[in-house]
Amino acid sequence: MMESFVIDLLRTSLVVGAAACALAAAARPWYRRFFAGGRNRLWLLLAILLLAGPFLRPPQAYRIALPAAVSAPAEEAYRGQAAAPQSAGETGGETAESVPQTAAAPALQAAAPEEGESSARLPSVTPETAALWIWGVGAAAFVLWQAGGEFLFRRRVRRWARPVEEEAVLALYRSVLPEVPHPPLLRCAAVETPVLAGALRPRLLLPGRTYEAEALGYLFRHELLHRKSRDIWRKLLYLTANAVHWFNPAVWLLRREAERDLERLCDERVVAAAGTAERRAYGAVLLDAAGSIRGPAASTYISNDARALRDRLESILRPGRRSGRVWTALAGLAVCGAVVLTGCFGGAEVPADTAESIGTDREIQHILILGTAQNTPQLSCDAVLLVTCDYDRPALDVLSIPRDTYFAQAEGTAKTPGRGAFSSDTPLETAAELVSQLTGTRVDATVIVDAEALAGLVDVVGGVTCAVPRDMDYDDPAQGLSIHLTEGTRHLDGEQFVGLLRYRLGNDLSESYPQGDLDRIRTQQQAIGALAEAVCGCSLEQITALTALAAESVTTDLSAQQLLYLSKGLLSGGLSAEDVTCSTLPGANGSIWSEEYQCQLSYWIPAGTEKISGMPDLSDPQSAAETDRQAMEAAGAVPHDP
């Protein structure tokens, strides 16, 4: 989002700025043939485009800033890195003196951090973020500068302005353009020329000097025509465009020339039906009334700028010009077309057959990640994660759902999504529907990662340093699984990292997690934070290689383009490990008697679930692991996950 806004802002500023420079350069040829009305309409159009241009896009324009494809040698280098992990990861030896700071502590079921775990870390700042901050500070400074000038001018007016009391002047004032609302007429010694000030509550200020009746008539008519045309509001529009594009000198030029053309247009309206003598008289009044004043933005006045006065006098004394409507329309269409067309080519080309499937990053907010065992005949999940992407902060909120979470079905109860609740050919939509039912959150995409794929991804980033909370020893010859880790801070390669995530039961029941899946979830959340820190430190080329590997080795309804788009959208926005927050689905342990296994089966009962008959609370912390083992022994089955 930030990158897109900055680029679109620059694109619009350059295109409209170029048009403004061209229009300013054509001022003298224009005024020799045409009236000022056409130029004023063009300035108004340019100001609107400056404000709306960053948001103007054709419906099918996709600007996805995809990097160049990774070359074959580079890809082989990354694959070589995956095949040869660091020696510390191979031996499981301790390579770090302290545990690095990882994700924020889980909101629920979080283990307290050990002393010395946190470490100071400077937040990462991307070029897009820096550019956005610089733009925001500059725009704020511009607004404060203009607001300060408005405040000082109003303070001088309040101090020096007094209502006009001369009846002759008031009568003349009321007789000029009676159909136009007349603002209060004041005399102010702080101004040198007549000034119409204020957009919401305008005031017409006269200097302390006196004018002849004919001159006053011209001056009143001039300022009241400004009021009739709402020129102050136009000047505020130009000021807003200038504030947004304060960095572009061409926009400053646009504002200056547009304000001068407002005065020319008003002059032409004053002398629209006048003869040569009256035009000369009006020109003499302008020369006499001009003052060295720099009024606020919300005001009109007669400046004594030499070039501006010369151009105004030439316009007044040159009648018989044309309106120039055709040229105005052609120029306006050309500028609008240039702004829209540059929006079409703001990014990399996307194939037509994948354009609709890519969408935008904001359409993919909630991603379900299922971690499964390798070569398992059923979709038995060791990890169920609902990841919520916040692209504005940016941040990731990871909700862990215990594998044995209870949910009610029309035909009875089941665990979600473990213990064969889903067969290997179950559509992804089924898992998404069950998680949506549990959390009340729409699932936008689903990713299934098996142990082999996750190990490969970890090896690509060079391994992960994280804490092993206890000695882990588990062997399952049926699936070739062997987990042997010692307690402490370890630099783990891909295979060891997967073992850490999957471990729940030990070879001996006393070596198992006391609270079964809940303790495993705590370990998984800590490991996710460590993995996030490793990934956030990757270069763009590494992110590209990771995305390519993920597209080949994971099962998902996301395309490779979407995976790269999402990862780049988050990381380019400044995502760091501290922005990854983990929590657990609120609930409590419970068990239900199984007629099939003739024993109690442990479940995680989500908060708010109605009391179920025959479901006692588990007060013994060993009960969860014990009931699981009883169920597997009663079924005569060898467990396919620890």
Side-chain angles (χ1 to χ4, degrees):
M1 178 63 178
M2 291 187 295
E3 178 187 10
S4 175
F5 175 76
V6 170
I7 293 177
D8 288 339
L9 186 70
L10 290 174
R11 166 181 61 82
T12 303
S13 193
L14 290 175
V15 174
V16 178
C21 291
L23 188 58
R28 298 190 69 82
W30 181 284
Y31 280 116
R32 281 197 293 267
R33 302 183 60 184
F34 307 120
F35 287 115
R39 279 175 62 88
N40 274 276
R41 285 187 285 272
L42 287 176
W43 292 128
L44 181 62
L45 174 63
L46 293 181
I48 294 173
L49 288 176
L50 284 172
L51 298 175
F55 310 100
L56 290 179
R57 282 191 172 279
Q60 299 300 324
Y62 291 87
R63 187 181 56 165
I64 304 173
L66 295 175
V70 179
S71 62
E75 185 174 355
E76 291 299 325
Y78 286 123
R79 293 188 179 276
Q81 183 182 6
Q86 299 180 13
S87 59
E90 293 175 353
T91 61
E94 189 170 337
T95 60
E97 296 181 359
S98 61
V99 180
Q101 182 177 355
T102 58
L108 297 170
Q109 310 297 342
E114 297 180 4
E115 183 177 359
E117 281 190 359
S118 61
S119 60
R121 172 175 176 155
L122 294 176
S124 58
V125 179
T126 64
E128 294 83 3
T129 304
L132 193 65
W133 273 101
I134 293 173
W135 170 80
V137 170
F142 182 95
V143 172
L144 289 175
W145 173 42
Q146 295 294 330
E150 181 75 19
F151 171 78
L152 293 176
F153 180 81
R154 287 180 176 272
R155 190 173 67 173
R156 289 197 303 269
V157 169
R158 283 196 300 268
R159 179 179 180 183
W160 297 103
R162 298 292 183 272
V164 173
E165 299 178 351
E166 297 93 330
E167 287 298 330
V169 175
L170 292 175
L172 177 61
Y173 180 53
R174 288 191 290 266
S175 66
V176 177
L177 297 178
E179 71 279 6
V180 179
H182 285 49
L185 185 62
L186 307 175
R187 195 175 294 278
C188 180
V191 299
E192 298 180 5
T193 184
V195 178
L196 180 64
L200 296 176
R201 294 187 300 172
R203 301 287 188 272
L204 181 54
L205 307 177
L206 292 178
R209 56 171 292 190
T210 58
Y211 294 97
E212 296 182 358
E214 182 183 18
L216 270 179
Y218 283 129
L219 295 176
F220 287 155
R221 188 176 186 84
H222 179 92
E223 299 303 334
L224 289 176
L225 283 172
H226 275 309
R227 173 75 189 280
K228 181 180 180 180
S229 302
R230 297 181 176 86
D231 288 341
I232 290 180
W233 288 103
R234 286 199 180 194
K235 294 187 70 172
L236 290 177
L237 178 66
Y238 299 142
L239 181 72
T240 304
N242 198 177
V244 173
H245 298 264
W246 58 268
F247 53 87
N248 189 351
V251 179
W252 291 77
L253 174 67
L254 181 153
R255 178 185 165 206
R256 186 192 69 183
E257 293 298 315
E259 292 179 351
R260 288 179 175 178
D261 281 347
L262 281 178
E263 295 297 332
R264 292 190 184 101
L265 179 60
C266 191
D267 293 337
E268 291 176 359
R269 289 171 175 169
V270 170
V271 297
T276 302
E278 292 175 323
R279 289 174 179 270
R280 291 180 179 275
Y282 177 68
V285 169
L286 289 183
L287 289 174
D288 180 62
S292 58
I293 179 177
R294 183 173 181 82
S299 65
T300 60
Y301 49 89
I302 303 174
S303 171
N304 65 353
D305 179 82
R307 180 190 164 206
L309 282 174
R310 181 198 64 193
D311 293 341
R312 292 176 68 176
L313 291 175
E314 288 182 356
S315 298
I316 293 170
L317 299 175
R318 186 180 289 118
R321 291 167 293 164
R322 293 177 292 175
S323 64
R325 292 178 181 176
V326 174
W327 289 102
T328 301
L330 291 176
L333 288 174
V335 176
C336 290
V339 172
V340 175
L341 286 176
T342 52
C344 294
F345 302 101
E349 182 179 359
V350 179
D353 56 349
T354 61
E356 294 184 359
S357 65
I358 291 179
T360 64
D361 52 2
R362 295 182 177 274
E363 293 173 354
I364 305 174
Q365 251 187 330
H366 308 289
I367 303 174
L368 175 62
I369 300 179
L370 303 174
T372 68
Q374 182 180 5
N375 298 324
T376 302
Q378 293 177 323
L379 189 59
S380 180
C381 298
D382 294 307
V384 182
L385 308 174
L386 181 61
V387 180
T388 300
C389 305
D390 186 336
Y391 301 93
D392 292 325
R393 287 161 37 193
L396 293 177
D397 295 322
V398 182
L399 176 67
S400 296
I401 302 175
R403 186 191 66 170
D404 296 334
T405 296
Y406 168 87
F407 70 97
Q409 288 183 316
E411 300 178 356
T413 62
K415 296 187 177 185
T416 199
R419 288 274 177 82
F422 300 102
S423 61
S424 58
D425 58 352
T426 300
L428 294 179
E429 292 78 4
T430 302
E433 289 174 3
L434 293 176
V435 173
S436 296
Q437 178 183 351
L438 283 168
T439 62
T441 301
R442 180 195 73 252
V443 176
D444 301 314
T446 307
V447 178
I448 297 180
V449 185
D450 62 28
E452 183 180 1
L454 180 59
L457 294 174
V458 171
D459 286 335
V460 168
V461 300
V464 175
T465 301
C466 58
V468 179
R470 61 189 299 118
D471 291 341
M472 298 180 179
D473 290 290
Y474 179 82
D475 294 284
D476 185 357
Q479 57 176 325
L481 179 61
S482 180
I483 301 174
H484 298 284
L485 298 173
T486 56
E487 181 179 357
T489 301
R490 300 286 180 261
H491 187 86
L492 308 179
D493 61 19
E495 182 179 354
Q496 294 169 329
F497 185 80
V498 170
L500 175 68
L501 296 184
R502 297 190 60 195
Y503 181 85
R504 185 177 64 165
L505 300 175
N507 291 327
D508 190 290
L509 184 60
S510 62
E511 299 174 353
S512 305
Y513 281 132
Q515 292 185 301
D517 208 28
L518 290 182
D519 286 334
R520 175 163 69 171
I521 284 176
R522 296 188 184 104
T523 301
Q524 289 175 348
Q525 291 174 344
Q526 183 269 341
I528 288 171
L531 179 60
E533 186 169 9
V535 173
C536 289
C538 291
S539 65
L540 184 58
E541 290 76 15
Q542 286 178 300
I543 293 297
T544 306
L546 283 171
T547 304
L549 182 59
E552 295 175 0
S553 57
V554 304
T555 302
T556 179
D557 47 6
L558 293 171
S559 66
Q561 290 94 338
Q562 285 176 306
L563 288 172
L564 185 58
Y565 190 28
L566 292 173
S567 59
K568 185 178 183 296
L570 289 168
L571 296 178
S572 65
L575 180 73
S576 64
E578 289 77 11
D579 300 319
V580 181
T581 304
C582 298
S583 60
T584 304
L585 180 71
N589 275 320
S591 66
I592 301 177
W593 177 260
S594 171
E595 293 293 340
E596 180 182 358
Y597 297 124
Q598 290 297 303
C599 68
Q600 294 283 343
L601 291 182
S602 65
Y603 286 88
W604 179 253
I605 312 301
T609 303
E610 296 181 1
K611 180 69 176 178
I612 301 171
S613 177
M615 183 196 297
D617 293 332
L618 297 180
S619 57
D620 183 2
Q622 296 284 345
S623 299
E626 182 64 35
T627 54
D628 284 345
R629 187 172 292 280
Q630 289 176 1
M632 290 183 285
E633 291 175 353
V638 177
H640 33 238
D641 66 279

